[in-house]
Amino acid sequence: MVVTPRRPDPRHLVLGAASLVTVAPFAWMVATSLKSLPNVQHMWPLEFEWGNYPEALSAAPFARYYLNTAVMTLGIVAGHLILDTLAAYAFARLRFPLRNTIFAVLVATMLVPTFLTMLPAFDLVVRMGWYDSWAALIVPRLADVFGIVVLRTYMQTLPRELDEAALVDGAGRMRILWHVVVPLCRPALATVAVFSFLFGWNDFLWPLLVTADDATRTVQLGLSVFTSKYGPYPHLLMAGTVVAAVPAIVIFLFLQKALVRGLAGTGSKE
């Protein structure tokens, strides 16, 4: 029997090419971080200069930057998971006047450019005395419309019979939410967690507005200070950038499967 080789799917070729284009800058960044300054123009390191990393980390208080960014990011993720879940459950399961209208207005706010809300939010932060504090970094961003939409859509795919059975057994709404609905929404919660983590960890503009000191400066702001000091030394600059990017990459790889399941689940219909 003659086996005819399958012809490659053109879509796979396009996706493969797009993947290479996406990965190439990261590969160049890692390769440059391991070069010496005289060899920085070469495509590949002639020798791996691992000492670039401790030298880059000692050039700025990266430990403090990491702590500040971790506190801010974990606070944002926790806020999104809790508050977005409560709002999504209300819109998906409860009946109250103007529910659909309120949700439509909420979704419409996603069309408003973030830059337009920066000044009013900054004014509130200053008036409340939160400037240059963790509260300024976390509290204004404790909820997220995107997370509400994702969780609401996923909750609508769950059978309402589960809620009705729990109500018959005497469970209240909060108990139904945390013991019945939330365990079934783990893929969607993982999706929200990943996007929230990436948003918080990579955010630059808002921390730039509300912080002015190394005590509250995040790692992305630290990189900007690092750039102004080590711009002529691209190997050290890339080493600092790799160190700043590693946590986001690890979180994404760790929750990748759950992220795909969550996004796929939000496309289903009840």
Side-chain angles (χ1 to χ4, degrees):
M1 183 177 65
V2 179
V3 178
T4 304
R6 295 181 60 184
R7 298 179 60 183
D9 193 331
R11 293 174 297 179
H12 294 168
L13 296 177
V14 173
L15 290 175
S19 300
L20 289 176
V21 172
T22 303
V23 171
F26 293 98
W28 175 84
M29 178 177 69
V30 174
T32 303
S33 71
L34 295 172
K35 299 175 185 176
S36 61
L37 183 58
N39 299 320
V40 77
Q41 299 299 328
H42 289 83
M43 288 293 295
W44 190 254
L46 301 180
E47 293 183 5
F48 293 102
E49 299 288 342
W50 297 103
N52 291 342
Y53 286 92
E55 185 176 353
L57 291 176
S58 63
F62 273 100
R64 184 67 189 186
Y65 296 158
Y66 262 93
L67 174 63
N68 295 337
T69 308
V71 171
M72 179 189 73
T73 303
L74 292 178
I76 291 173
V77 171
H80 286 187
L81 292 179
I82 296 173
L83 298 180
D84 291 1
T85 299
L86 292 171
Y89 181 75
F91 285 118
R93 291 301 210 234
L94 304 183
R95 302 290 186 220
F96 53 90
L98 302 177
R99 183 188 66 167
N100 293 333
T101 303
I102 296 173
F103 183 73
V105 172
L106 195 66
V107 173
T109 62
M110 297 177 67
L111 302 176
V112 179
T114 306
F115 303 102
L116 296 181
T117 63
M118 286 287 183
L119 185 57
F122 176 77
D123 183 62
L124 286 174
V125 165
V126 172
R127 288 175 181 273
M128 299 186 73
W130 290 348
Y131 183 75
D132 205 19
S133 68
W134 282 343
L137 294 170
I138 298 172
V139 174
R141 299 178 295 171
L142 280 177
D144 176 58
V145 178
F146 172 78
I148 295 173
V149 173
V150 170
L151 291 170
R152 173 186 177 271
T153 306
Y154 196 91
M155 288 179 185
Q156 287 182 321
T157 67
L158 304 178
R160 289 186 177 274
E161 288 78 6
L162 297 174
D163 299 46
E164 295 170 358
L167 286 172
V168 170
D169 289 340
R173 285 293 183 181
M174 292 301 296
R175 188 173 182 182
I176 293 172
L177 171 61
W178 297 117
H179 293 279
V180 178
V181 177
V182 167
L184 296 175
C185 291
R186 286 175 182 171
L189 290 170
T191 301
V192 174
V194 170
F195 279 100
S196 299
F197 184 92
L198 296 177
F199 162 75
W201 190 268
N202 295 318
D203 193 16
F204 175 81
L205 182 57
W206 181 249
L208 178 64
L209 290 176
V210 298
T211 61
D213 191 271
D214 278 343
T216 52
R217 186 171 286 155
T218 62
V219 70
Q220 303 302 332
L221 292 181
L223 280 177
S224 68
V225 175
F226 189 83
T227 302
S228 64
K229 184 177 181 180
Y230 284 90
Y233 303 95
H235 59 308
L236 298 181
L237 179 59
M238 290 301 103
T241 305
V242 169
V243 170
V246 164
I249 295 174
V250 170
I251 290 294
F252 177 80
L253 293 177
F254 182 72
L255 296 176
Q256 179 177 312
K257 293 183 178 179
L259 174 65
V260 173
R261 290 199 303 269
L263 291 176
T266 56
S268 322
K269 291 188 178 180
E270 189 175 8

